Amino acid sequence: MSVPTAHKILIGTAIAFFAFFALWELRDYGASGDLFSLVWSVAAAAGALAFAAYLRRYVRALERS
């Protein structure tokens, strides 16, 4: 396995984790109404989006090389 492939897998896993955690915290917010759960949900969703943007830039950079 090449380093770029391993890096893409790692970043994809991070995206999945952040998305799962965002949904988990959003569900907790719906059940308990705890404001911190909503904050964590938004933060995790932002993390997933940031990693997705990074992955997209990384793949495009690899295609240009």
Side-chain angles (χ1 to χ4, degrees):
M1 176 184 305
S2 68
V3 171
T5 300
H7 192 67
K8 288 188 278 187
I9 291 170
L10 184 64
I11 298 303
T13 303
I15 294 167
F17 169 76
F18 275 98
F20 174 78
F21 188 67
L23 292 175
W24 180 286
E25 288 295 324
L26 190 61
R27 185 186 65 140
D28 186 51
Y29 171 71
S32 68
D34 183 21
L35 186 62
F36 284 116
S37 293
L38 180 61
V39 171
W40 277 115
S41 177
V42 170
L49 290 174
F51 272 118
Y54 169 70
L55 180 61
R56 186 172 179 176
R57 287 186 79 196
Y58 181 71
V59 168
R60 285 184 178 177
L62 287 176
E63 290 172 355
R64 280 187 255 133
S65 304

